[in-house]
Structure formats: structure tokens, C-alpha cells
Amino acid sequence: MHLFVSFILKAIAVFMKDVVLYEVEEVDHCSPGSVGCKAVMVFFQYCIMASFFWLLVEGLYLHALLAVSFFSERKYFWCYILIGWGGPTIFITAWSVTKANYNDVGCWDIIENTDMFWWIIKTPILASILMNFILFICIIRILQQKINCPDIGRNESNQYSRLAKSTLLLIPLFGINFIVFAFIPEQVKTELRLVFDLILGSFQGFVVAVLYCFLNGEVQAEMKRKWRRWHLQHYMGSDAKYQHPSMGNSNTTNFTQMSILTRGSPKTRRASSSCHEESFNI
């Protein structure tokens, strides 16, 4: 949920930045006294960094699920919150203070090669990309070890195809695509970098949502259960006005029994168990 919130905030920040910088009629809208313009840029940089940090948190979380024997999600939850939202707050605050005191030019939207303050933002982003890439390699090794376990009596070619599928599925979730141009100087292949970042960066949230949400068996079972419950409530509500008042208790009892059957149906339980197996196989 926090990962998708960071994706949503990044998209909102991009639209806000474009409106402030490119859709106003005044030429001098980026004057040094324009506090609102600078605030939008600060929010934009914060959302960009937060999205990278939450990708890192996702990598840490999945690695902990596979590597730690007794993993307590509640124990590490607030640590993940501090990393995902608190880390960008510290670096963006430091960048804002230094820009305001030493390089207060325009709307803070122009990044020059000689701007040393830009490394306050760039360094933690590069570090998060590198750490996520290392976690990605570690998780692939763990999955390979589980596949090569002699206790699993399955076809070897099928196991390696599942490993390849798991590797491809983890690439958008970990943001491995950012490693391609992460450590290359920005003046090299500028147009190619721009196209690459726009296409893959813009569709990353959509791809992750499709792969890990809408194609998930447990999510699909939950959506079907909600749809059946809503349809049942709508049917019972429209049919209630034609029933005798003395039949109200029996209708309530029948509705409760049908709801229990809906929640505990074998089909739903099978979908839930299959989801857990899919999530383990990633």
C-alpha cells in the first residue's frame, strides 16, 4: 500500500511541477521570491526519492521473508515506515536548507553539473538502486537453492522455467531497470536515457499493479466475494419490500447463513491457499 501511495504521489508531483513551470503566462514566475514554486519542486523531489526508497523497502521485506526463519512483520513494520518516508524527509530537508542558503536561484528546477548540492539527492537514490540490485541477486540465489533442493521431486526444466519467470517478475518490483543508466554520467546518451526513464518509469506502477495485485489469486477471490455479497445485499434489499414483516427474521438468518457460506466456501479457501503457494514461488 505504501509503495503504491509513493507511485501515486510521484505522478501527482510530476503534474504539479509541469503546471507550475510550464503552464503559467508570466515569464518571471520562477523569481527567487516565489516560495510556492520552490515548494512544488521540494515536493517533487521528495516524491521521487520516496518512490525509490519504497522500492528498497520492498526488496528488504521480500529478502527478510525468504532469509529469516521466524519473520515478524509487525516487528519491522515501523522500521520500514521510517526508511520509506523518513529517509527522504531527512535528505530533502537537508537539500532544501542548503539550496536556500547557498544556491537560491530560480525555482530550484535547473540542475547543473557543477551543482554539488544535487548530490544530496542523487547519492541516496543511487545507493537505494544499488542495494536493491544486490538484494535482487540474493533473492534469485535463494530461489535457485530452493529449486535445486533434492526433496522437491519435480521436472528440472520446469523448475528453471519457474526461476526465469520469478526473475522477470521481480524486475519491475525492485526497479532493476534503473540500474541501466544509474551510474552513467548524465551527459551521456541523454535522449536515450530520457526515453528509457519515461517509458519504464511511467509504466512501472501499472506493471506492478497488474502482476502483483490484479493477477493475484487471493485478490481475485476477494473481489469475487465482495461482488457476490454486494449482489446478494442488492437482491435482498429489493426483495424485502415484497415480503411480509413476520418474515424479516428468517430473511436475516438466511442472509447470515449465505454470508458465512460465501466467506468460508471451499472455492475461496482453495484460491487463498493457491495464492499463498504463488506468493512463495514469487
Side-chain angles (χ1 to χ4, degrees):
M1 289 173 58
H2 287 276
L3 176 64
F4 281 111
V5 168
S6 67
F7 285 153
I8 294 172
L9 289 177
K10 182 175 71 171
I12 294 175
V14 170
F15 286 117
M16 291 177 59
K17 179 180 71 71
D18 291 343
V19 169
V20 170
L21 295 181
Y22 305 113
E23 294 188 6
V24 292
E25 297 180 356
E26 293 81 0
V27 179
D28 57 346
H29 62 278
C30 281
S31 60
S34 180
V35 179
C37 184
K38 297 174 184 177
V40 170
M41 288 305 303
V42 171
F43 178 71
F44 170 75
Q45 298 294 351
Y46 174 81
C47 294
I48 295 295
M49 185 178 292
S51 64
F52 281 102
F53 271 60
W54 275 107
L55 289 174
L56 174 61
V57 169
E58 190 69 27
L60 293 172
Y61 174 71
L62 291 180
H63 185 267
L65 284 178
L66 294 174
V68 180
S69 300
F70 300 97
F71 177 72
S72 176
E73 186 173 337
R74 182 179 300 179
K75 179 180 178 181
Y76 296 99
F77 179 74
W78 289 107
C79 295
Y80 294 147
I81 295 292
L82 291 177
I83 295 174
W85 299 119
T89 302
I90 296 174
F91 292 108
I92 296 300
T93 301
W95 177 74
S96 303
V97 172
T98 53
K99 287 287 290 184
N101 292 329
Y102 301 103
N103 192 17
D104 190 6
V105 179
C107 275
W108 300 353
D109 59 314
I110 300 177
I111 307 299
E112 299 178 355
N113 295 330
T114 57
D115 188 3
M116 299 301 298
F117 304 116
W118 173 241
W119 286 97
I120 300 176
I121 296 178
K122 189 174 181 179
T123 301
I125 290 179
L126 292 178
S128 66
I129 294 175
L130 180 60
M131 292 178 62
N132 239 13
F133 182 74
I134 296 174
L135 291 172
F136 173 77
I137 299 299
C138 293
I139 290 179
I140 295 302
R141 291 183 58 186
I142 294 175
L143 293 177
Q144 184 180 6
Q145 293 174 359
K146 292 181 180 295
I147 287 177
N148 293 333
C149 180
D151 296 335
I152 302 178
R154 295 180 180 177
N155 190 5
E156 184 177 356
S157 60
N158 186 28
Q159 294 298 314
Y160 282 104
S161 64
R162 293 175 62 189
L163 178 62
K165 180 181 178 181
S166 301
T167 304
L168 294 176
L169 290 177
L170 286 175
I171 289 177
L173 185 64
F174 279 46
I176 302 301
N177 50 284
F178 294 108
I179 200 70
V180 177
F181 293 102
F183 300 94
I184 299 178
E186 296 184 0
Q187 61 272 15
V188 178
K189 301 292 183 180
T190 305
E191 296 182 356
L192 181 60
R193 177 199 299 269
L194 181 61
V195 174
F196 186 83
D197 289 341
L198 286 176
I199 294 178
L200 295 183
S202 299
F203 286 96
Q204 183 180 9
F206 173 75
V207 173
V208 172
V210 171
L211 294 178
Y212 291 92
C213 183
F214 299 110
L215 295 182
N216 185 284
E218 188 174 0
V219 174
Q220 293 177 355
E222 182 68 18
M223 293 176 65
K224 292 178 181 178
R225 187 175 68 87
K226 293 290 186 181
W227 168 255
R228 288 195 299 266
R229 176 178 292 183
W230 177 85
H231 189 269
L232 183 60
Q233 290 176 347
H234 180 72
Y235 173 77
M236 297 296 292
S238 61
D239 191 58
K241 58 183 179 180
Y242 298 106
Q243 300 294 336
H244 193 271
S246 61
M247 299 180 63
N249 294 331
S250 61
N251 287 336
T252 304
T253 305
N254 293 333
F255 174 74
T256 304
Q257 293 175 351
M258 296 179 69
S259 299
I260 294 175
L261 291 175
T262 304
R263 288 196 298 267
S265 61
K267 183 178 180 181
T268 305
R269 289 197 298 268
R270 287 196 299 269
S272 178
S273 61
S274 64
C275 170
H276 289 296
E277 182 179 358
E278 292 174 3
S279 63
F280 175 77
N281 294 324
I282 311 183

PDB file of all heavy atoms in Angstrom, residues 11-24 29 40-41 44:
ATOM      1  N   ALA A  11       3.367  10.634  -9.398  1.00  0.00           N
ATOM      2  CA  ALA A  11       2.623  11.083 -10.575  1.00  0.00           C
ATOM      3  C   ALA A  11       1.976  12.443 -10.335  1.00  0.00           C
ATOM      4  O   ALA A  11       2.008  13.324 -11.205  1.00  0.00           O
ATOM      5  CB  ALA A  11       1.561  10.044 -10.933  1.00  0.00           C
ATOM      6  N   ILE A  12       1.397  12.648  -9.147  1.00  0.00           N
ATOM      7  CA  ILE A  12       0.788  13.940  -8.820  1.00  0.00           C
ATOM      8  C   ILE A  12       1.840  15.037  -8.811  1.00  0.00           C
ATOM      9  O   ILE A  12       1.610  16.153  -9.316  1.00  0.00           O
ATOM     10  CB  ILE A  12       0.077  13.854  -7.455  1.00  0.00           C
ATOM     11  CG1 ILE A  12      -1.119  12.900  -7.543  1.00  0.00           C
ATOM     12  CG2 ILE A  12      -0.393  15.233  -6.997  1.00  0.00           C
ATOM     13  CD1 ILE A  12      -1.800  12.660  -6.212  1.00  0.00           C
ATOM     14  N   ALA A  13       3.014  14.735  -8.256  1.00  0.00           N
ATOM     15  CA  ALA A  13       4.082  15.735  -8.192  1.00  0.00           C
ATOM     16  C   ALA A  13       4.562  16.133  -9.583  1.00  0.00           C
ATOM     17  O   ALA A  13       4.875  17.307  -9.823  1.00  0.00           O
ATOM     18  CB  ALA A  13       5.246  15.199  -7.359  1.00  0.00           C
ATOM     19  N   VAL A  14       4.613  15.183 -10.509  1.00  0.00           N
ATOM     20  CA  VAL A  14       5.033  15.500 -11.879  1.00  0.00           C
ATOM     21  C   VAL A  14       4.040  16.451 -12.529  1.00  0.00           C
ATOM     22  O   VAL A  14       4.430  17.445 -13.171  1.00  0.00           O
ATOM     23  CB  VAL A  14       5.179  14.201 -12.698  1.00  0.00           C
ATOM     24  CG1 VAL A  14       5.366  14.513 -14.180  1.00  0.00           C
ATOM     25  CG2 VAL A  14       6.346  13.377 -12.189  1.00  0.00           C
ATOM     26  N   PHE A  15       2.746  16.200 -12.376  1.00  0.00           N
ATOM     27  CA  PHE A  15       1.731  17.090 -12.950  1.00  0.00           C
ATOM     28  C   PHE A  15       1.789  18.475 -12.305  1.00  0.00           C
ATOM     29  O   PHE A  15       1.660  19.502 -12.995  1.00  0.00           O
ATOM     30  CB  PHE A  15       0.342  16.486 -12.786  1.00  0.00           C
ATOM     31  CG  PHE A  15       0.072  15.348 -13.718  1.00  0.00           C
ATOM     32  CD1 PHE A  15      -0.164  14.066 -13.229  1.00  0.00           C
ATOM     33  CD2 PHE A  15       0.052  15.536 -15.093  1.00  0.00           C
ATOM     34  CE1 PHE A  15      -0.416  13.006 -14.082  1.00  0.00           C
ATOM     35  CE2 PHE A  15      -0.207  14.484 -15.953  1.00  0.00           C
ATOM     36  CZ  PHE A  15      -0.430  13.216 -15.452  1.00  0.00           C
ATOM     37  N   MET A  16       1.975  18.518 -10.991  1.00  0.00           N
ATOM     38  CA  MET A  16       2.065  19.807 -10.307  1.00  0.00           C
ATOM     39  C   MET A  16       3.270  20.600 -10.798  1.00  0.00           C
ATOM     40  O   MET A  16       3.179  21.809 -11.039  1.00  0.00           O
ATOM     41  CB  MET A  16       2.146  19.589  -8.797  1.00  0.00           C
ATOM     42  CG  MET A  16       0.877  19.055  -8.165  1.00  0.00           C
ATOM     43  SD  MET A  16       1.056  18.743  -6.393  1.00  0.00           S
ATOM     44  CE  MET A  16       1.511  20.376  -5.804  1.00  0.00           C
ATOM     45  N   LYS A  17       4.393  19.933 -10.951  1.00  0.00           N
ATOM     46  CA  LYS A  17       5.600  20.628 -11.430  1.00  0.00           C
ATOM     47  C   LYS A  17       5.398  21.183 -12.836  1.00  0.00           C
ATOM     48  O   LYS A  17       5.783  22.322 -13.133  1.00  0.00           O
ATOM     49  CB  LYS A  17       6.775  19.663 -11.417  1.00  0.00           C
ATOM     50  CG  LYS A  17       8.086  20.265 -11.918  1.00  0.00           C
ATOM     51  CD  LYS A  17       9.197  19.252 -11.875  1.00  0.00           C
ATOM     52  CE  LYS A  17       9.034  18.172 -12.925  1.00  0.00           C
ATOM     53  NZ  LYS A  17       9.291  18.717 -14.296  1.00  0.00           N
ATOM     54  N   ASP A  18       4.779  20.396 -13.716  1.00  0.00           N
ATOM     55  CA  ASP A  18       4.557  20.861 -15.084  1.00  0.00           C
ATOM     56  C   ASP A  18       3.601  22.047 -15.123  1.00  0.00           C
ATOM     57  O   ASP A  18       3.778  22.989 -15.916  1.00  0.00           O
ATOM     58  CB  ASP A  18       4.004  19.722 -15.933  1.00  0.00           C
ATOM     59  CG  ASP A  18       5.049  18.628 -16.176  1.00  0.00           C
ATOM     60  OD1 ASP A  18       6.251  18.916 -15.965  1.00  0.00           O
ATOM     61  OD2 ASP A  18       4.666  17.510 -16.553  1.00  0.00           O
ATOM     62  N   VAL A  19       2.578  22.013 -14.266  1.00  0.00           N
ATOM     63  CA  VAL A  19       1.638  23.136 -14.232  1.00  0.00           C
ATOM     64  C   VAL A  19       2.319  24.403 -13.757  1.00  0.00           C
ATOM     65  O   VAL A  19       2.137  25.486 -14.326  1.00  0.00           O
ATOM     66  CB  VAL A  19       0.442  22.782 -13.312  1.00  0.00           C
ATOM     67  CG1 VAL A  19      -0.402  24.021 -13.037  1.00  0.00           C
ATOM     68  CG2 VAL A  19      -0.416  21.701 -13.949  1.00  0.00           C
ATOM     69  N   VAL A  20       3.144  24.288 -12.734  1.00  0.00           N
ATOM     70  CA  VAL A  20       3.795  25.471 -12.168  1.00  0.00           C
ATOM     71  C   VAL A  20       4.851  26.017 -13.106  1.00  0.00           C
ATOM     72  O   VAL A  20       4.972  27.237 -13.297  1.00  0.00           O
ATOM     73  CB  VAL A  20       4.406  25.124 -10.797  1.00  0.00           C
ATOM     74  CG1 VAL A  20       5.288  26.265 -10.293  1.00  0.00           C
ATOM     75  CG2 VAL A  20       3.308  24.833  -9.790  1.00  0.00           C
ATOM     76  N   LEU A  21       5.632  25.159 -13.742  1.00  0.00           N
ATOM     77  CA  LEU A  21       6.776  25.616 -14.528  1.00  0.00           C
ATOM     78  C   LEU A  21       6.433  25.965 -15.966  1.00  0.00           C
ATOM     79  O   LEU A  21       7.073  26.835 -16.560  1.00  0.00           O
ATOM     80  CB  LEU A  21       7.877  24.549 -14.521  1.00  0.00           C
ATOM     81  CG  LEU A  21       8.525  24.241 -13.175  1.00  0.00           C
ATOM     82  CD1 LEU A  21       9.603  23.189 -13.342  1.00  0.00           C
ATOM     83  CD2 LEU A  21       9.122  25.501 -12.558  1.00  0.00           C
ATOM     84  N   TYR A  22       5.436  25.302 -16.547  1.00  0.00           N
ATOM     85  CA  TYR A  22       5.241  25.426 -17.994  1.00  0.00           C
ATOM     86  C   TYR A  22       3.871  25.909 -18.413  1.00  0.00           C
ATOM     87  O   TYR A  22       3.659  26.157 -19.594  1.00  0.00           O
ATOM     88  CB  TYR A  22       5.493  24.072 -18.669  1.00  0.00           C
ATOM     89  CG  TYR A  22       6.833  23.492 -18.343  1.00  0.00           C
ATOM     90  CD1 TYR A  22       6.942  22.337 -17.591  1.00  0.00           C
ATOM     91  CD2 TYR A  22       8.008  24.114 -18.775  1.00  0.00           C
ATOM     92  CE1 TYR A  22       8.177  21.800 -17.275  1.00  0.00           C
ATOM     93  CE2 TYR A  22       9.243  23.590 -18.463  1.00  0.00           C
ATOM     94  CZ  TYR A  22       9.327  22.426 -17.719  1.00  0.00           C
ATOM     95  OH  TYR A  22      10.547  21.903 -17.409  1.00  0.00           O
ATOM     96  N   GLU A  23       2.917  26.061 -17.492  1.00  0.00           N
ATOM     97  CA  GLU A  23       1.577  26.450 -17.894  1.00  0.00           C
ATOM     98  C   GLU A  23       1.124  27.741 -17.240  1.00  0.00           C
ATOM     99  O   GLU A  23      -0.048  27.926 -16.975  1.00  0.00           O
ATOM    100  CB  GLU A  23       0.582  25.323 -17.568  1.00  0.00           C
ATOM    101  CG  GLU A  23       0.822  24.068 -18.377  1.00  0.00           C
ATOM    102  CD  GLU A  23      -0.286  23.054 -18.190  1.00  0.00           C
ATOM    103  OE1 GLU A  23      -1.274  23.408 -17.519  1.00  0.00           O
ATOM    104  OE2 GLU A  23      -0.168  21.930 -18.703  1.00  0.00           O
ATOM    105  N   VAL A  24       2.050  28.631 -16.965  1.00  0.00           N
ATOM    106  CA  VAL A  24       1.710  29.956 -16.459  1.00  0.00           C
ATOM    107  C   VAL A  24       2.164  30.972 -17.475  1.00  0.00           C
ATOM    108  O   VAL A  24       3.121  30.770 -18.209  1.00  0.00           O
ATOM    109  CB  VAL A  24       2.374  30.217 -15.082  1.00  0.00           C
ATOM    110  CG1 VAL A  24       1.776  29.318 -14.020  1.00  0.00           C
ATOM    111  CG2 VAL A  24       3.861  30.018 -15.157  1.00  0.00           C
ATOM    112  N   HIS A  29       7.908  33.820 -13.510  1.00  0.00           N
ATOM    113  CA  HIS A  29       7.227  33.098 -12.447  1.00  0.00           C
ATOM    114  C   HIS A  29       8.216  32.365 -11.552  1.00  0.00           C
ATOM    115  O   HIS A  29       7.868  31.944 -10.464  1.00  0.00           O
ATOM    116  CB  HIS A  29       6.227  32.099 -13.042  1.00  0.00           C
ATOM    117  CG  HIS A  29       6.858  31.040 -13.891  1.00  0.00           C
ATOM    118  ND1 HIS A  29       7.183  31.272 -15.202  1.00  0.00           N
ATOM    119  CD2 HIS A  29       7.211  29.760 -13.622  1.00  0.00           C
ATOM    120  CE1 HIS A  29       7.711  30.175 -15.727  1.00  0.00           C
ATOM    121  NE2 HIS A  29       7.750  29.242 -14.774  1.00  0.00           N
ATOM    122  N   VAL A  40       6.792  23.440  -4.599  1.00  0.00           N
ATOM    123  CA  VAL A  40       6.394  22.391  -5.530  1.00  0.00           C
ATOM    124  C   VAL A  40       7.595  21.553  -5.936  1.00  0.00           C
ATOM    125  O   VAL A  40       7.520  20.313  -6.030  1.00  0.00           O
ATOM    126  CB  VAL A  40       5.706  23.005  -6.765  1.00  0.00           C
ATOM    127  CG1 VAL A  40       5.512  21.956  -7.857  1.00  0.00           C
ATOM    128  CG2 VAL A  40       4.370  23.602  -6.381  1.00  0.00           C
ATOM    129  N   MET A  41       8.740  22.203  -6.166  1.00  0.00           N
ATOM    130  CA  MET A  41       9.940  21.454  -6.528  1.00  0.00           C
ATOM    131  C   MET A  41      10.430  20.588  -5.376  1.00  0.00           C
ATOM    132  O   MET A  41      10.905  19.463  -5.590  1.00  0.00           O
ATOM    133  CB  MET A  41      11.041  22.423  -6.959  1.00  0.00           C
ATOM    134  CG  MET A  41      10.804  23.085  -8.306  1.00  0.00           C
ATOM    135  SD  MET A  41      10.534  21.902  -9.640  1.00  0.00           S
ATOM    136  CE  MET A  41      12.035  20.928  -9.543  1.00  0.00           C
ATOM    137  N   PHE A  44       8.194  17.661  -5.302  1.00  0.00           N
ATOM    138  CA  PHE A  44       8.514  16.793  -6.438  1.00  0.00           C
ATOM    139  C   PHE A  44       9.728  15.916  -6.136  1.00  0.00           C
ATOM    140  O   PHE A  44       9.712  14.698  -6.349  1.00  0.00           O
ATOM    141  CB  PHE A  44       8.764  17.655  -7.677  1.00  0.00           C
ATOM    142  CG  PHE A  44       9.341  16.911  -8.846  1.00  0.00           C
ATOM    143  CD1 PHE A  44       8.555  16.063  -9.599  1.00  0.00           C
ATOM    144  CD2 PHE A  44      10.675  17.067  -9.190  1.00  0.00           C
ATOM    145  CE1 PHE A  44       9.094  15.372 -10.670  1.00  0.00           C
ATOM    146  CE2 PHE A  44      11.213  16.386 -10.259  1.00  0.00           C
ATOM    147  CZ  PHE A  44      10.429  15.537 -11.008  1.00  0.00           C
TER     148      PHE A  44
END
